[in-house]
Amino acid sequence: MDTSVLGALVPAYVWPEPLRQRIDTLYEVIDRVVAQGAAEADRVGRYPVATINALKACGLMAAAIPTTHGGWGLTQAQSQEVLFRLAIADPSVAQICKVHDDLVRELFTFADDATCHRLGQDIVSRCLIIGQAIAEPGARADEFGHVIATPVQGGHSLSGRKIYATGAIGADLIAVTSYDAACHAMRFDLIPRDAPGLTIQEDWNAMGQRATDSGTVILDHVRTIPGLVVPKENQSPPDWASLRYQNGFSVILVGIGVAALRHAADFVSSQARPWISVQGQRASDDPMTRRLFGEIGAELAGAVALVRDAANRLDLRAAGAISRAQVAMAVYAARSVASRVSLRASSDSMASMGARGAGRAIGFDRYWRDARTLSLHDPVDWKHEEIGHHLLTGWQPEASLYR
């Protein structure tokens, strides 16, 4: 199996021998199914059911589940390496799987042992995938409380509206947060996709990440199910959770950049014509093209190193070996570089392809549309401000949704 992504620029990720067979099978599915279906998934702009089913069949939904509950037991760094390979193939599929991975890790962090055991067994045996309905249309991105949980006999009734519900439309279970006014506390419930009163509107119409199908979710007196309530042993996720979310987006952005540069390289080598000033018969003989690819390739290699380092620091933080600030600054730096190089790779590399590269049948534009859309998730300039704040004053960011 070829595990290189940018030739000798980026070293292949080394997997532990006990995981090799599973990873080989997974990467085969990524290359054969995910990558091959990406252009059509972007064109249609709907949830990629067949692709997700193929990933379910090779066991990916169990990757983040501890081995004690029958899962693969991947570390956070290992999960994000899988995310990287998915992003190269199809960044929309990567984002759907990222949501599942993050949610599974959250569940196994704060749920009680009985809940973890039950969910672990269900996910492993039934290949369940979890989507999310978390964000709400408040005046601020971090404003919640618009979905209300009302106590009723045997549980709670949930009513309200969620937006940007990535993965919800094709999920088996949807993670829903709500505000319990009676207890003055947030709830976390898993709701079956076909629950009465739950409607997912197919209104996602962004220019990129189209197959995430991240539409609006309407909850109209949706009843919680006792077996799917997630009791929290504490009210807060681990302080590195938001950093994992952020680095996952950076990983996907770098994957988009790698895919764009590889596509451009294939096109230049096989279809582009050399400019009249080139002393050679092929477009790849053009020294300006070589320089452009060299610059973008070097920047991508640096970005891969940064996101991998940040992912490793997540595991070190989980083990208590480093401070949160040491993770945060690595994550922020990775986001800065990943955002910039993904946009450059998906845009500037077209200069080497010539006018032929702009043909609709080539489909190169989807890389930039995906990168630009994903890069808007949280403003990269605030990462620069936070890095600068740290360097100038020693400031250390406290845990919050986007910090």
Side-chain angles (χ1 to χ4, degrees), residues 178-231:
S178 61
Y179 180 69
D180 187 341
C183 297
H184 302 288
M186 295 298 294
R187 290 181 56 84
F188 189 104
D189 293 283
L190 294 172
I191 305 296
R193 168 64 184 85
D194 58 358
L198 189 149
T199 303
I200 301 178
Q201 299 178 340
E202 295 185 69
D203 56 354
W204 177 245
N205 63 353
M207 66 178 182
Q209 292 298 95
R210 286 168 45 75
T212 62
D213 218 356
S214 303
T216 302
V217 171
I218 306 297
L219 300 111
D220 184 12
H221 297 95
V222 176
R223 292 290 297 268
T224 62
I225 298 174
L228 295 178
V229 176
V230 183

Side-chain angles (χ1 to χ4, degrees), residues 292-336:
L292 177 63
F293 272 75
E295 288 180 354
I296 298 175
E299 292 173 12
L300 279 169
V304 172
L306 284 171
V307 295
R308 282 177 170 173
D309 175 62
N312 284 326
R313 293 196 197 194
L314 289 167
D315 289 316
L316 291 172
R317 177 58 182 164
I322 60 175
S323 70
R324 187 182 189 276
Q326 288 174 292
V327 186
M329 292 304 132
V331 168
Y332 299 168
R335 169 55 62 85
S336 173

